[in-house]
Amino acid sequence: MEFKIFELGPAATNAILVFERSTQQAVLFDTPLDSYNQVSRFCEAESLTLNQVLMTHGHWDHMIDLHHFNAAGIPAWGHRDDQVMFEQPQLMAAYALPGLKFESGKIDRWVSGGEKLQFLDRDWETRHVPGHCPGSLLFWSQGDAVAIVGDAIFAGSVGRTDLPGGDTDLLLNSIKREIYSLPDSTILYPGHGPETEVGREKRTNPFVRG
């Protein structure tokens, strides 16, 4: 399993493409600005088929290109607690950068925390990590010791909670319960910035120690 990180848009948001060369299959986590063009070109160049879009949450910088993937017929999954953000993204214009155009995105399947999923011929588990956003999800592959965590936690930081639906206490409790309970060696791929590890964050993250 390989990873290709596209840092895109005005908020330097990570679109995380995960793929398997042996099967030429791929899935994408989050759809920031210009991700459709960038990911499509990469998949074409590498002879990959994009099967699925998995949304960590519904904030504008993560979903603004979702409608392009919808139009291409690529199914998208996300958490129902962020349904309004996906379907009415113009409501986020007040805390987005001016001049951006928002179009409604469609979620084909609502995913809850604790679900067992399979893609790329691997078993994945979802965990609900609200606090930064009501519908924040992480996707964990125990066999590969990796988790896609959105904006719940970053290397040395945590997601902001001053946006609508944010709750600091809820976020810190979510991190302790759902992220810090993962094996220490688990690599965390966040929605912004570089990857980190569970054990490292438990020891050094100044906002929430394990």
Side-chain angles (χ1 to χ4, degrees), residues 19 25 30 32 53 57 74 78 85 88 90 94 110 117 120 122 128-129 135 157-158 169 185 208:
F19 56 97
Q25 305 301 302
D30 292 339
V53 168
H57 63 294
I74 300 168
M85 297 181 190
Q88 302 179 55
Q90 65 275 9
W110 299 113
L117 307 176
L120 300 179
R122 285 167 167 79
H128 187 207
V129 284
S157 187
V158 298
D169 289 339
S185 59
V208 54

Side-chain angles (χ1 to χ4, degrees), residues 90-167:
Q90 65 275 9
L91 298 176
M92 295 182 278
Y95 58 93
L97 295 179
L100 294 173
K101 181 180 179 181
F102 296 101
E103 295 192 31
S104 177
K106 176 188 175 186
I107 298 297
D108 299 281
R109 175 181 166 185
W110 299 113
V111 180
S112 301
E115 288 198 36
K116 306 296 186 181
L117 307 176
Q118 187 172 74
F119 43 88
L120 300 179
D121 295 326
R122 285 167 167 79
D123 295 321
W124 297 73
E125 178 185 320
T126 60
R127 295 192 175 194
H128 187 207
V129 284
H132 169 70
C133 199
S136 291
L137 286 170
L138 71 77
F139 298 84
W140 172 43
S141 171
Q142 182 177 8
D144 292 281
V146 299
I148 314 297
V149 296
D151 288 1
I153 193 169
F154 307 115
S157 187
V158 298
R160 59 188 294 186
T161 56
D162 59 337
L163 300 173
D167 184 314

